[in-house]
Amino acid sequence: YATLMFGSVLCMAVLALSQPKDSPITALRESVLPFIRGIADGLGSPRLQPAMATSPQVPQGTVAAMTLAPESNVQNASGPAIMSTSGGAITMEFSSSGGAPVQLSDEDSLALTLDDLAYRSLLLGFGFLTVGIVSGAVWANEAWGNYWSWDPKETWALICWLVYAGYLHTRLQLGWDTRDSSKIGAFGFFV
């Protein structure tokens, strides 16, 4: 449970960093910011800056050779170009004329680092909790003759498992942004 609680506290820190500057928790956020930076610097990878991925430019000769009628299929030179080939396939090219990497502020970079640490610790803790619940059920079957008896400890372990499974599901399958999935991770602390 320690890794789950650590990940949930990091989710709370991500939520605190994503609040607007005029929020009532600004004073609290500013007082714990050095501690949070210390965690991120000690456990995260602060030297790596997220950058926008760009694809290499396709030469115009190659693009022209792939089209049936280049003058009618290319829609915009600076936007996406949609072209068709003689085989019936459609090719879509996105140019990167204005694709400069986005520079993040220090707080945004810190929030992304903390979110990554929270995700990794919750993933590790979820795996440990799963192994603990399954091995406890096997032991209960050997000791008492049934896998699950719905006593309070088992029930709350299942509720915690479901909360953290919901967090991982929103991160991996639904693609929620950092703030929304962090709300579920922080809720797991109170469960």
Side-chain angles (χ1 to χ4, degrees):
Y1 282 104
T3 55
L4 293 173
M5 292 183 79
F6 178 70
S8 293
V9 169
L10 289 177
C11 285
M12 288 186 231
V14 169
L15 288 174
L17 286 173
S18 65
Q19 295 296 319
K21 294 289 184 188
D22 58 352
S23 173
I25 67 164
T26 301
L28 175 66
R29 178 179 63 195
E30 296 302 321
S31 65
V32 298
L33 200 57
F35 176 71
I36 293 172
R37 284 191 199 279
I39 291 174
D41 291 343
L43 297 176
S45 53
R47 293 188 183 10
L48 299 177
Q49 287 289 338
M52 183 183 301
T54 57
S55 62
Q57 290 289 334
V58 178
Q60 283 294 63
T62 305
V63 172
M66 290 175 27
T67 62
L68 291 174
E71 62 277 1
S72 65
N73 288 339
V74 177
Q75 296 194 355
N76 188 356
S78 63
I82 301 174
M83 296 159 220
S84 61
T85 61
S86 60
I90 295 177
T91 303
M92 184 174 242
E93 176 189 347
F94 294 93
S95 69
S96 61
S97 59
V102 176
Q103 293 296 330
L104 298 174
S105 68
D106 283 342
E107 285 191 5
D108 289 340
S109 177
L110 179 62
L112 286 176
T113 302
L114 291 176
D115 181 57
D116 184 51
L117 286 173
Y119 169 72
R120 289 175 188 226
S121 66
L122 288 176
L123 187 62
L124 179 68
F126 181 77
F128 284 144
L129 182 60
T130 302
V131 169
I133 289 173
V134 170
S135 64
V138 169
W139 176 82
N141 186 41
E142 291 295 320
W144 298 314
N146 58 350
Y147 288 102
W148 198 266
S149 62
W150 294 102
D151 70 340
K153 187 182 283 189
E154 291 174 343
T155 304
W156 279 106
L158 178 65
I159 291 170
C160 287
W161 189 88
L162 290 172
V163 167
Y164 291 116
Y167 168 80
L168 292 174
H169 179 71
T170 58
R171 282 290 300 252
L172 298 174
Q173 297 295 321
L174 300 181
W176 284 12
D177 68 343
T178 300
R179 186 173 179 190
D180 291 337
S181 62
S182 290
K183 289 177 185 176
I184 296 174
F187 175 70
F189 182 81
F190 298 107
V191 172

